[in-house]
Structure formats: C-alpha cells, structure tokens
C-alpha cells in the first residue's frame, strides 16, 4: 500500500509540474488536460483523478505559494521588530518565491481577473488562499506601533498593495525585476508616515467611514455577523 501511495504522489507531482510548464508555454486557455497528461507521461484518466480540472491545478499552485510564503515570513518575523522592515520582508519574500514564475503568472492573469472563474481573486474557491495571505499580514502588523483597532484595515490595505504589486511584477521587464523591488521600498516609505496619523483621534471619522465602505463592499464581515 505504501509503495502504491508513493507512486500516486509521484504521478500527481509530475502532473502538477507538467501543467505549470504547459501554462507557461501555451497559456492557460491553450492548455488542455490531454496536453498535461501527455507531458506527464500518464493517462488522461489519471490526470483527472488527481486534479479534476486545470483550475484545480492552479488552485494547488496558489496554495503552495501562499503557504510557503506565510511560513517563511512568520518564521523570519521573530527577528524583526520595526514595522517598515516587517512589511518589506513580507512583500519581498513573495517576489523571491515568484521570481521564476512571471511567465506563468502572465498566462494566468486573464483567468485571475475573470469574475466567473474559480481561480479569480475573489472566488469562493480561492478563499483558503486569501485566508493564508491575510493570516500572514496579521502577523506582520502585530506590533505595538499598529493599534489593535487599525489592524484589520492595515491587513486589507497590505493585501491590496500586494495584489497591485503582483500585476506590476508581471509587467516589469527590468533586469531582475528591480523596478518592482524599488516600488516596494517606495511604497513602504510612503505608508509609514500614515500610521501615526491614522492612529490619532482626529482620524476616527475617516477610519469609521473606511471600515463601513469595506463592509458594504463585502471585503470584511459586518460587526453584527
């Protein structure tokens, strides 16, 4: 039984890697499960047994990347106290992991933006991925510098920044995507003066309005739920 399970895991891994390669070369729309099965040297039935669709493979990729990033960031945060350094660490780690995947992300971006796609940013199927990313940002802002009543908003703000940076990263053709890394530094430098401002009593009406906006947009649950 153990050998059979091991062979099954090996086959699943081959299918997964073959699919990612095909997405890079053919694009997501141009890849079929038949292409994937052939490249993985397995049957079409076996491909569907391990992954019910191309979208399931993409979801597995998302989960692998986000869990790897979360684990690396949370481990590294133990040695980093300053908020700006914690934010930079989190954002830079993402792009260190994605360094070799720009073409893959470019192939997927159309589906990611499609509201009817199960792999879109806001789909029910990607909720686990969102939860992992938000969990990571919760750890990032868990410092005295960020008041507790601001942390949920800070987490969502960092998530939105992260999504925007991914789109820029896909487009960025500078050597080693240095413009993306510079953009991270500039964005963090621009954000830091806002923290004490938003934590002051004068910002309470604005924070209340922003929180209500996010609830109405469905991005955060209502306090009554």
């Amino acid at each position: 039984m153990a050998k059979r399970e091991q062979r099954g895991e090996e086959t699943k891994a081959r299918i997964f890697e073959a699919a990612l390669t095909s997405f890079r070369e053919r694009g997501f729309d141009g890849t079929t499960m038949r292409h994937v099965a052939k490249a993985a040297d397995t049957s079409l039935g076996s491909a569907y047994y391990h992954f019910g669709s191309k979208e399931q493979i993409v979801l597995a990729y998302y989960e692998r990347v986000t869990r790897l990033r979360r684990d690396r960031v949370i481990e590294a945060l133990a040695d980093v106290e300053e908020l700006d350094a914690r934010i930079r660490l989190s954002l830079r780690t993402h792009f260190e992991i994605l360094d070799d995947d720009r073409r893959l992300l470019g192939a997927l971006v159309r589906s990611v933006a499609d509201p009817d796609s199960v792999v879109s940013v806001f789909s029910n199927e990607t909720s686990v991925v969102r939860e992992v990313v938000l969990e990571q940002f919760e750890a990032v802002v868990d410092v005295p510098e960020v008041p507790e009543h601001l942390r949920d908003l800070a987490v969502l703000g960092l998530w939105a920044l992260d999504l925007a940076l991914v789109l820029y990263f896909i487009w960025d053709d500078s050597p080693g995507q240095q413009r993306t890394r510079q953009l991270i530094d500039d964005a963090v430098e621009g954000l830091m003066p806002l923290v004490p401002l938003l934590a002051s009593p004068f910002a309470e009406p604005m924070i209340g309005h922003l929180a209500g906006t996010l609830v109405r947009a469905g991005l955060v649950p209502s306090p009554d739920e």
Side-chain angles (χ1 to χ4, degrees):
M1 178 65 81
K3 288 184 177 180
R4 181 181 298 177
E5 290 178 357
Q6 181 179 353
R7 287 197 299 270
E9 288 302 312
E10 291 172 352
T11 299
K12 184 176 182 179
R14 286 204 317 274
I15 294 168
F16 181 75
E17 295 299 335
L20 298 187
T21 299
S22 186
F23 293 156
R24 293 183 183 103
E25 295 174 351
R26 299 173 180 267
F28 182 75
D29 293 336
T31 295
T32 67
M33 289 296 282
R34 193 174 297 279
H35 290 138
V36 172
K38 182 177 180 180
D41 192 26
T42 191
S43 68
L44 182 60
S46 175
Y48 274 114
Y49 172 79
H50 290 288
F51 297 98
S53 65
K54 295 187 299 181
E55 287 78 8
Q56 291 299 317
I57 298 172
V58 174
L59 292 173
Y61 168 76
Y62 288 167
E63 288 197 35
R64 183 178 74 172
V65 168
T66 54
R67 292 183 189 280
L68 175 61
R69 177 192 184 188
R70 178 200 59 190
D71 293 347
R72 283 189 186 178
V73 168
I74 290 179
E75 181 180 1
L77 286 176
D79 299 318
V80 181
E81 296 182 359
E82 297 80 7
L83 179 60
D84 58 342
R86 292 167 73 90
I87 296 173
R88 285 192 184 93
L89 166 67
S90 177
L91 297 174
R92 286 175 176 172
T93 299
H94 195 188
F95 296 102
E96 288 169 5
I97 293 172
L98 295 177
D99 252 349
D100 296 327
D101 286 346
R102 281 182 63 241
R103 291 189 63 186
L104 171 59
L105 294 170
L108 297 176
V109 70
R110 178 177 170 186
S111 297
V112 171
D114 182 356
D116 296 323
S117 172
V118 299
V119 300
S120 72
V121 173
F122 295 105
S123 74
N124 290 332
E125 289 80 2
T126 57
S127 62
V128 173
V129 174
R130 291 194 297 276
E131 288 170 5
V132 172
V133 175
L134 295 178
E135 179 185 345
Q136 169 207 268
F137 284 128
E138 286 169 2
V140 169
V141 302
D142 185 17
V143 290
E145 195 172 348
V146 182
E148 288 191 15
H149 72 282
L150 288 181
R151 290 181 185 177
D152 287 346
L153 296 178
V155 166
L156 288 173
L158 290 174
W159 177 52
L161 174 61
D162 195 47
L163 291 175
L165 287 168
V166 170
L167 291 176
Y168 185 84
F169 172 75
I170 294 170
W171 170 83
D172 182 9
D173 61 356
S174 63
Q177 284 66 60
Q178 285 302 312
R179 285 194 298 231
T180 298
R181 288 157 173 78
Q182 183 61 54
L183 183 57
I184 290 172
D185 290 343
D186 291 343
V188 174
E189 184 178 347
L191 286 173
M192 293 311 298
L194 296 178
V195 176
L197 175 64
L198 293 175
S200 72
F202 300 103
E204 288 182 5
M206 180 175 64
I207 295 299
H209 176 74
L210 178 57
T213 298
L214 294 173
V215 168
R216 290 187 291 274
L219 294 175
V220 297
S222 167
D224 299 328
E225 293 180 5

